[in-house]
Amino acid sequence: MNTLDDDGVRELLSAVIDPEVGMNIVELGLVYGIDVSQERVHVLLTMTSAACPMTEMIVDDAYERLAAALPPETEIDIELVWEPPWTPERMSEAARIVFGWHPPR
Amino acid sequence: MSATRQRPGGAESAAPGAARAAPRAAVRRPAFERLPLLLLGFVALLAGIGGGLARLAWPMPQAVAQAAAWHGPLMVCGFFGVVISLERAVAVGRAWAYAAPLLAGVGTALALHGLGGWAPLLYLAAGIVLALATLSVLQHQRENFVVMLALAAALWPLGTALWIGGAALHEVLPWWLGFLVLTIAGERLELSRLMPPSPAALRLFALIVAALLAALAAAPFAAQPAARGFGFGLVLLSCWLARCDVARRTVLQRGLTRFIALCLLAGYVWLALGGAVMVLAGLRPGTPAYDAALHALLLGFVFSMVFGHAPIIFPAVLRVSLPYHPVFYAPLALLHASVALRLLGDALGAYGLTRWGALGSALALAAFIAVMAAAVLRSRRGRRGVAPRRSGPG
């Protein structure tokens, strides 16, 4: 029986940091979707770069964060997607402020 | 890629984008099957450093001293070639991409066993596989920086082909420099999207890259003017990076993120200096300026970048944990101090300073490897102590 909702999952994923830039994957806008059902948590995740070897590590980390919080019978499905392509506009307002820019209107 | 990581043995089979669910019970498992490839890179590093020191008349065992003539190829193709193509293979997640580090590693082994005639061919093949692996990223991501990375990757086999065709190493080196510098620049271009450069800045970046490539192409016709032009391109590139790199922002953070940013920002100083030396003196082998330019670029810039990224690339490649520790700064400081000493020696014609600078750099690399290994061991011991605790990234 699943005890988390979308926001709970999002909060867990907020602990997954891209160490290069010191920012979590939620603020970076890399989490495209979260779908929580009784027996399954499905996360759509993208990366800023498909040429970056850290992808595997970040997916591992996200998986471990969820696995630590969810009951063992819950299936965890982290799906890596490249469509639609990530753009800087997907970053949260807080992240934009950290990197010192404001989106073009 | 999520599916691949928990399925023992099939780790490299799935492409990114084809990722799917993982069996629930699985936990992260170190990818030690990639270790032999990495070790081939470290063999080249060790022999390359030893050969470099032997050139500067530091006493070395006979077996290592024999590698003196191979110093450049071992460092660029044997070490950077393996490391870059291995991390690219991990990124693209295709089995065939691992042929690149394997081929380059075999090339190193042949070079060190008196079969040097074959090594350039293997390095060439490795470079071609790396370029193809990088092109395959375009299937998922049609972005400028991927084109940039593919272009950079292509410079490795192009330079190596010239070498096989009979060009002298000093004529090949600018191509290899281009491979390394533009690979880093491409990765920084990608990250610069977090504080997006203006369209004008992006056009300027493209112009700088075009100028660097034009300088490479012009080298056979006017070697020294081309080398000076290449140096000027590097100076401009360092200015662009110093202005647009996200490291300017991330240096304000803490821990590993700040360490990485400082490695990069310090590296840009050497990129500018190495470029400036080339502008002033061209690239004439055997001169102090030649030693200064190449080592400012390769030790001061490229290795500084390697120091910054090893703490995230190691864990990414081997799937082990490598927690940050402030002691990482010690080998970094030694690296930069030793490069400064070396260039001072080159500038003053004080060969002794250059020799000691080189030894200092070798010690910095050794210390860095020791620090990285200690961090991995410390974390593994820590994990065994407290059973199923899950901690930070990496």
Side-chain angles (χ1 to χ4, degrees):
Chain A
M1 176 72 185
N2 199 348
T3 49
L4 284 172
D5 58 4
D6 289 17
D7 286 340
V9 170
R10 196 178 307 276
E11 199 177 318
L12 287 170
L13 294 177
S14 298
V16 179
I17 310 277
D18 177 344
E20 168 92 45
V21 293
M23 179 70 60
N24 75 64
I25 58 175
V26 174
E27 298 278 348
L28 284 172
L30 299 177
V31 179
Y32 277 5
I34 296 171
D35 183 26
V36 178
S37 65
Q38 282 295 346
E39 55 290 315
R40 179 164 176 258
V41 171
H42 183 204
V43 176
L44 291 176
L45 197 62
T46 195
M47 293 289 140
T48 60
S49 166
C52 173
M54 258 159 46
T55 302
E56 207 179 54
M57 197 167 81
I58 288 174
V59 172
D60 276 345
D61 196 25
Y63 182 89
E64 287 186 359
R65 300 272 170 188
L66 297 180
L70 289 163
E73 61 276 12
T74 307
E75 183 194 342
I76 299 170
D77 182 359
I78 298 174
E79 188 176 354
L80 194 60
V81 293
W82 299 102
E83 287 296 327
W86 179 88
T87 59
E89 287 74 23
R90 291 183 179 275
M91 289 195 292
S92 73
E93 190 62 36
R96 290 174 193 184
I97 289 169
V98 167
F99 295 115
W101 69 290
H102 299 284
R105 304 261 166 224
Chain B
M1 213 173 285
S2 66
T4 63
R5 73 214 149 91
Q6 274 93 7
R7 207 182 295 135
E12 276 78 74
S13 56
R20 263 292 159 180
R24 181 67 170 83
V27 288
R28 192 189 313 210
R29 189 182 57 82
F32 287 135
E33 67 275 9
R34 294 170 187 161
L35 189 60
L37 291 173
L38 197 59
L39 287 179
L40 284 170
F42 278 91
V43 168
L45 178 67
L46 212 68
I49 293 172
L53 290 176
R55 278 187 180 190
L56 291 171
W58 286 108
M60 282 290 138
Q62 182 60 25
V64 175
Q66 279 170 347
W70 281 85
H71 172 63
L74 285 173
M75 298 305 290
V76 175
C77 305
F79 178 65
F80 292 123
V82 162
V83 173
I84 292 171
S85 57
L86 179 57
E87 70 168 55
R88 193 70 40 84
V90 171
V92 303
R94 310 261 174 109
W96 60 264
Y98 286 83
L102 181 63
L103 286 163
V106 172
T108 297
L110 293 178
L112 295 178
H113 284 87
L115 293 164
W118 290 94
L121 291 170
L122 284 145
Y123 289 149
L124 173 69
I128 291 171
V129 175
L130 171 66
L132 292 176
T134 312
L135 280 174
S136 80
V137 176
L138 282 171
Q139 290 176 346
H140 301 299
Q141 231 183 353
R142 295 193 169 275
E143 295 279 355
N144 292 335
F145 76 88
V146 184
V147 175
M148 181 71 213
L149 288 174
L151 208 62
L155 295 182
W156 180 23
L158 279 172
T160 309
L162 291 176
W163 186 29
I164 293 169
L169 265 181
H170 69 90
E171 295 167 316
V172 172
L173 268 169
W175 293 81
W176 288 350
L177 278 176
F179 158 48
L180 299 175
V181 171
L182 294 185
T183 294
I184 296 171
E187 280 163 6
R188 300 320 293 177
L189 180 66
E190 189 269 307
L191 280 163
S192 76
R193 295 187 302 162
L194 297 179
M195 41 183 263
S198 68
L202 288 176
R203 274 195 298 276
L204 182 61
F205 186 90
L207 221 63
I208 295 170
V209 173
L212 285 168
L213 296 178
L216 288 178
F221 311 104
Q224 292 314 317
R228 288 168 194 266
F230 191 78
F232 188 60
L234 295 180
V235 173
L236 292 180
L237 185 63
S238 73
C239 296
W240 193 95
L241 289 167
R243 175 76 189 78
C244 297
D245 196 318
V246 70
R248 275 167 66 102
R249 290 278 163 181
T250 55
V251 74
L252 302 173
Q253 301 199 18
R254 286 174 302 133
L256 180 59
T257 305
R258 179 193 204 115
F259 174 75
I260 298 171
L262 278 169
C263 286
L264 283 158
L265 296 176
Y268 295 153
V269 176
W270 292 118
L271 178 60
L273 262 168
V277 172
M278 284 175 78
V279 171
L280 295 174
L283 262 188
R284 293 186 171 84
T287 60
Y290 184 80
D291 180 83
L294 290 182
H295 293 92
L297 295 170
L298 293 166
L299 281 170
F301 172 58
V302 180
F303 262 110
S304 188
M305 147 89 184
V306 168
F307 276 25
H309 285 84
I312 52 179
I313 300 299
F314 257 133
V317 169
L318 296 181
R319 268 206 215 140
V320 293
S321 174
L322 198 165
Y324 167 78
H325 191 283
V327 76
F328 291 6
Y329 280 102
L332 180 68
L334 181 58
L335 177 75
H336 287 283
S338 69
V339 177
L341 189 65
R342 179 180 201 136
L343 263 72
L344 191 67
D346 287 328
L348 301 175
Y351 180 61
L353 292 184
T354 301
R355 276 187 84 220
W356 282 100
L359 186 67
S361 298
L363 291 177
L365 293 174
F368 184 72
I369 293 168
V371 161
M372 292 293 107
V376 171
L377 292 177
R378 199 173 52 232
S379 109
R380 289 184 74 77
R381 212 174 302 136
R383 279 196 171 183
R384 227 170 287 145
V386 251
R389 204 179 152 268
R390 296 168 200 278
S391 59

